[in-house]
Amino acid sequence: MHRFPGVTKVDPVSTSSVPRPEPTAPAGPLRRPRLPRPAAGATREFLPALALFAGLRLAGILTVILTNELRGHPLVRNLAHSWDSRWYLHIATHGYGRLIWIAPTGAVQTDWAFFPLYPALIRALATVLPLGPGQTGLLIAWTAACVAAYGVYRVGHLLYGRGVATALVALWAALPHAVELTLAYTESLFAALAAWSLYCVLRGRWLWAGTLAVLAGLSRPSGFAVAVAVCLAAGHEALRRRGRVPARLWAGALLAPLGWPAYVLWVGGRTGDLLGGYFSVQRAWDSRFDFGAGSVRFLKALLLHGGGVVYPAALLIVAASVLLFVLLCLERAPLALVVFSGVLVLLVLGGSGSFSSKPRFLLPAFPLLVPVARALARTWWLRRSRAVVVYGALALVSLLAGAYVTAVAHSPL
């Protein structure tokens, strides 16, 4: 007789006994299949990617400084005092409600439009370090950029391996608008929080994912994109496991969206309109979701009147992001990555405001680069010389574009 697991052996000529299954332990809750853990050397393997990222962004800073020298401008001032940076530094020094600006349209623009995490970090560190607010802001931005690069690498390494992870970091460092990772802006901080929150989702560390999503929601108006990604990924996981999920999943999902509405309600309380005050503040900055009407007006004006260099380049970057999002969906990337990137792309397409700033809003959407990184990693060993030439050209464009928008152009960053 054949021996079957879990069934008692029975004499085939005996009729006095009936095969009975052996007693088994009660079925427990379904366990989530975990992604493979990163190799023990994943951190050490990141060092070449970090060196590439830091080297390229340092070259970007030096290119900006050289451009300032050639134009007779202060060498480093525009790194810490460009556009929105001045508002963040003023908030860090004096608090909220101390600065307004009357726009040419007559709108009264206030500092309540700027989220609190970055200026709070500047204020906290400036009290313990012998640095001014501008220097502290740059220190935070540069540190956060490296932390973000490591988070981008860990996401890529977890899903696709070392080659794709390194290519992903390299491409992110060479984006035309990557200079904004090294300015006193919130993009590097937001990118760091987003990357590590998404990594925690992929690893099933829901409490960490939710906590980082809260901080992301306090860092930028678009920070709720992380919370949406965490919540939808948690809901998908609960459906997949038919509700048999640990309590920490629900706790992380409930925690994730608390940051953004907390600040929105705080601004509403300060303005006297709890639910609408924050949105009134943003409308004064011409920042609202108008379902693409502003983008259509911009495109029409660009076609009729032209727009120098910055605005056509911004349009090209936005169009490329839409194509990359389609490719990301075709790659069947994890839901959290697709949702996070999709929300940011949707906000850029459907939001009003200066079109020259839209590439900056897309900078944290690193998953958009996954399809290109995978293609680059596949062809690297076969056509190494071509890959080096292509990447060198991307890096050169990134350096020149960063210096131009920071030290030459007068368009809002």
Side-chain angles (χ1 to χ4, degrees), residues 178-343:
V179 68
E180 286 152 356
L181 291 171
T182 48
L183 303 182
Y185 269 65
T186 58
E187 267 59 41
S188 57
L189 177 62
F190 175 41
L193 294 168
W196 282 102
S197 180
L198 294 174
Y199 176 77
C200 290
V201 168
L202 296 176
R203 295 301 306 276
R205 298 171 180 171
W206 295 103
L207 283 177
W208 275 110
T211 301
L212 293 169
V214 171
L215 295 175
L218 292 171
S219 66
R220 282 200 51 74
S222 55
F224 68 86
V226 184
V228 175
V230 172
C231 291
L232 289 183
H236 178 264
E237 180 70 5
L239 288 175
R240 190 184 69 81
R241 297 170 62 176
R242 300 180 182 180
R244 299 174 182 176
V245 294
R248 60 181 178 273
L249 182 145
W250 298 119
L254 292 174
L255 183 65
L258 296 183
W260 187 85
Y263 182 69
V264 168
L265 293 176
W266 181 83
V267 173
R270 296 291 296 270
T271 61
D273 181 0
L274 185 63
L275 298 180
Y278 168 79
F279 301 100
S280 298
V281 168
Q282 290 289 1
R283 280 194 296 271
W285 286 85
D286 191 27
S287 178
R288 60 189 180 278
F289 191 82
D290 60 4
F291 298 93
S295 297
V296 172
R297 288 194 300 269
F298 161 78
L299 182 59
K300 181 180 178 180
L302 184 65
L303 293 175
L304 292 176
H305 309 293
V309 175
V310 173
Y311 290 97
L315 178 61
L316 183 62
I317 291 171
V318 171
S321 73
V322 175
L323 174 61
L324 290 173
F325 178 70
V326 173
L327 294 177
L328 182 68
C329 294
L330 294 177
E331 287 273 351
R332 303 188 69 176
L335 178 64
L337 304 188
V338 173
V339 171
F340 171 68
S341 301
V343 171

Side-chain angles (χ1 to χ4, degrees), residues 31-78:
R31 294 186 178 275
R32 177 182 183 272
R34 292 189 177 275
L35 291 163
R37 291 183 177 274
T43 301
R44 184 175 60 255
E45 291 172 356
F46 169 64
L47 293 179
L50 175 62
L52 182 61
F53 176 84
L56 184 54
R57 293 319 333 142
L58 178 59
I61 294 172
L62 295 177
T63 306
V64 171
I65 293 174
L66 177 60
T67 306
N68 284 330
E69 171 67 20
L70 295 175
R71 293 177 59 82
H73 294 166
L75 297 183
V76 297
R77 181 171 178 79
N78 51 12

Side-chain angles (χ1 to χ4, degrees), residues 68-101:
N68 284 330
E69 171 67 20
L70 295 175
R71 293 177 59 82
H73 294 166
L75 297 183
V76 297
R77 181 171 178 79
N78 51 12
L79 294 175
H81 297 272
S82 293
W83 299 95
D84 292 358
S85 299
R86 291 172 289 189
W87 288 83
Y88 285 117
L89 296 180
H90 193 277
I91 294 168
T93 305
H94 304 287
Y96 280 99
R98 303 295 182 89
L99 182 62
I100 64 171
W101 172 260

